[in-house]
Amino acid sequence: MTTIDLRGVCCPINFVKAKLALEELTTGDVVEILLDDGEPVKNVPRSLKGEGHKLLGLKETAEGHYLLTVEKGEE
Amino acid sequence: MTIDLNNLKAGGFIKERGKDLFTVRLRVPGGRMAIPRLKKIAEVAEKYGGEFVHLSVRQSIELININFKHFAAVVEELGEASQKVASCGARVRVPVACGGCEYNPNGLVDTQKSALEVDQKLFGAPTGHHKFKVAFAGCPFDCPKSATNDVGFQGAVVPKLDPAACIRCGLCAKNCTPGAIIMGEGSKPLLDPHPCIWCGDCVKVCPTGAWEAKRTGYNVRIGGKWGRNPTVGTLFATLLPQEDVVEFITRVLAWYKDKAEGLGRIRLGDIIIKEGPQPLLEYLREKFPASVVAETIPPQIIDNQIGARR
C-alpha cells in the first residue's frame, strides 16, 4: 500500500499534499497517510471526508504519529 | 435647504469631530455583504465620503466624513443597491454572526439565516433604556463572542452514536478536544456527557455517519456587555430551536422594558444582577419550557477594572 508521509507538514499544507497525492490515484484505491499528532490528525481526516474520500481507519504508531487509511472517492 | 430628519430617527448617523461631518453606519446583518452592494457602497463612499471607510467591530461598514447636507443623497443612492443605514442609541442593533454553516465546516447552525431574521423583525426597535445587542455563533468555538452580548446564541449539537454503523476507527475519540469520547472495550467509542461541549466534531469527522446529531439548536446566554463595566452573559437556555429565536428575543425585550422602567439608561445585564436571574428564567420558561435551564447564575462581572463599581 502507498504511504503518504506528511509528518512535519503543517496545516493546511498537509491536506493539500494529501489531496494532490490522491488525485494521482484511481477511485477505490486505498492509501495510508502518516500524520502528526495534534492539529494534523484532527483536521486532515475531516477535510478528506469533506472532499468525498472514505476514511477507513486510524492507528497510532509506536512513535506517536497517526496512520490514517483512506479510500479514494469519486472524482 | 431642507434636511429630511426622518433619516436620523433610527440612528446610524454619528457626529464626527469635524464641522458638519458625520459617520454613516451601514446595516450589514451577520457581516454578509453581497458584491453588488459592496460596489455601490464604494461608489457612494468615493462620491460623498473621505478617503477610506471604517470596518466596525460589529461587522458594519461605516462611511466616514459624510456632510449632513448629503444625507438624503447618500441614503437614496445606497438604496439603489438595497443598502440600508444601521442604528445607534437605545435600540435593538444589527445582529452579528459568524459565517454560518453553508461554507464554514465548523458551523452547526445557520447563523446567517438567524441574523437576517432578527434584523428583519427586530432591528431598530426602541428598548426604552439602552442599547440591545444580539450575536449568533454557529458552534461552541464562538468566534463572535456571543456571551458579550445582551442575548448571545451559540450553535450546538448533542451527539448520538449508532453502534451498528461504527467501524471503530477511533477518529471521534482523537478529534474530541474536551476528551469526552474514549475508546472502550472492543474499540467501541464511549461518550461521557459531562465534559462534552456539544461542538459536533465527532459528527463531523465520523467516516460512516455513526455519530449523528441527536438534537441541534442554540445555547443562549443573556446579560453580557462590554464597555466600561464588562459582564459576561450566563446560560439561560440550551438547544433552543432556530425557529424560536425571534420570539425568544422578543420575550427578553419585554421583560427588560418592564423591569428597567424608571431606572434610566441601564443595560439588561445590570437589571438581571439587580433582580437576580430567577425572575427572567421563570418568565422565559413559561414560553420555552423545553429549552430554559433549571437554574443559572447572574451575569458575571469582570471585576478588575479601573474605577470601583457602585
Side-chain angles (χ1 to χ4, degrees):
Chain A
M1 201 189 316
T2 317
T3 301
I4 306 164
D5 187 354
L6 296 174
R7 286 174 300 174
V9 184
C10 65
C11 301
I13 298 166
N14 45 16
F15 162 66
V16 175
K17 283 194 166 180
K19 179 184 151 61
L20 293 173
L22 282 161
E23 275 177 13
E24 302 296 310
L25 306 175
T26 317
T27 302
D29 285 355
V30 176
V31 292
E32 286 180 328
I33 301 175
L34 199 51
L35 295 164
D36 288 328
D37 196 4
E39 291 300 303
V41 70
K42 289 187 180 186
N43 294 339
V44 175
R46 241 175 84 177
S47 301
L48 291 173
K49 180 189 169 190
E51 292 272 309
H53 302 297
K54 198 172 164 189
L55 310 180
L56 301 177
L58 183 77
K59 271 202 300 265
E60 189 174 358
T61 68
E63 297 80 33
H65 302 288
Y66 284 85
L67 206 52
L68 178 74
T69 316
V70 182
E71 181 185 313
K72 182 183 159 83
E74 300 282 337
E75 290 283 349
Chain B
M1 191 183 69
T2 55
I3 303 280
D4 182 2
L5 293 176
N6 277 328
N7 282 332
L8 301 178
K9 267 190 186 158
F13 298 84
I14 303 148
K15 184 74 190 77
E16 292 180 0
R17 285 170 191 263
K19 187 175 178 297
D20 296 343
L21 297 180
F22 285 76
T23 287
V24 180
R25 180 180 289 167
L26 302 184
R27 188 168 156 190
V28 189
R32 184 167 292 188
M33 173 60 66
I35 312 294
R37 273 168 65 202
L38 187 59
K39 286 182 174 166
K40 175 58 81 178
I41 290 167
E43 197 183 289
V44 172
E46 198 163 45
K47 190 166 166 188
Y48 298 105
E51 290 180 352
F52 53 84
V53 296
H54 178 249
L55 303 181
S56 84
V57 188
R58 284 184 64 85
Q59 303 181 316
S60 166
I61 294 178
E62 293 174 336
L63 307 182
I64 307 301
N65 292 171
I66 301 292
N67 191 299
F68 78 103
K69 287 184 294 195
H70 295 139
F71 281 174
V74 165
V75 168
E76 192 194 324
E77 289 179 37
L78 289 170
E80 290 165 9
S82 304
Q83 177 61 56
K84 297 190 170 74
V85 174
S87 66
C88 56
R91 298 178 182 86
V92 176
R93 303 295 182 83
V94 181
V96 164
C98 69
C101 60
E102 304 136 285
Y103 60 91
N104 174 356
N106 288 323
L108 300 169
V109 181
D110 194 344
T111 57
Q112 287 290 320
K113 191 177 163 196
S114 294
L116 274 182
E117 198 188 349
V118 168
D119 185 66
Q120 274 158 14
K121 300 195 174 145
L122 299 174
F123 165 78
T127 67
H129 311 296
H130 210 321
K131 64 182 87 171
F132 193 90
K133 295 179 176 180
V134 173
F136 295 93
C139 73
F141 309 147
D142 207 328
C143 302
K145 305 169 188 70
S146 64
T148 63
N149 287 260
D150 294 272
V151 187
F153 295 85
Q154 187 189 71
V157 300
V158 176
K160 186 184 76 175
L161 181 72
D162 171 9
C166 175
I167 58 168
R168 302 173 179 209
C169 63
L171 275 162
C172 52
K174 193 62 216 166
N175 263 263
C176 182
T177 307
I181 300 174
I182 55 159
M183 298 309 279
E185 226 169 274
S187 295
K188 188 176 175 278
L190 296 173
L191 172 70
D192 176 357
H194 299 294
C196 177
I197 59 167
W198 303 352
C199 67
D201 276 2
C202 49
V203 178
K204 290 169 200 158
V205 77
C206 181
T208 61
W211 281 109
E212 52 187 352
K214 185 162 88 179
R215 288 181 69 193
T216 303
Y218 284 118
N219 294 334
V220 191
R221 293 179 177 81
I222 303 183
K225 67 189 184 79
W226 222 242
R228 295 174 188 87
N229 294 103
T231 56
V232 176
T234 53
L235 194 66
F236 276 72
T238 54
L239 300 164
L240 182 79
Q242 181 156 11
E243 57 269 25
D244 288 348
V245 161
V246 169
E247 211 189 327
F248 190 92
I249 300 171
T250 304
R251 200 153 172 87
V252 175
L253 271 169
W255 187 87
Y256 174 41
K257 279 186 187 172
D258 179 42
K259 297 292 174 186
E261 198 60 53
L263 297 175
R265 195 168 172 268
I266 184 166
R267 282 287 282 275
L268 173 62
D270 288 319
I271 296 290
I272 300 171
I273 289 170
K274 194 170 126 49
E275 299 267 335
Q278 210 58 30
L280 177 57
L281 211 54
E282 294 313 324
Y283 184 71
L284 291 170
R285 199 192 314 282
E286 281 171 31
K287 268 279 169 61
F288 307 97
S291 307
V292 170
V293 297
E295 51 188 40
T296 191
I297 54 174
Q300 295 296 289
I301 295 168
I302 313 289
D303 208 5
N304 66 342
Q305 305 301 310
I306 306 295
R309 221 182 153 90
R310 300 177 79 167

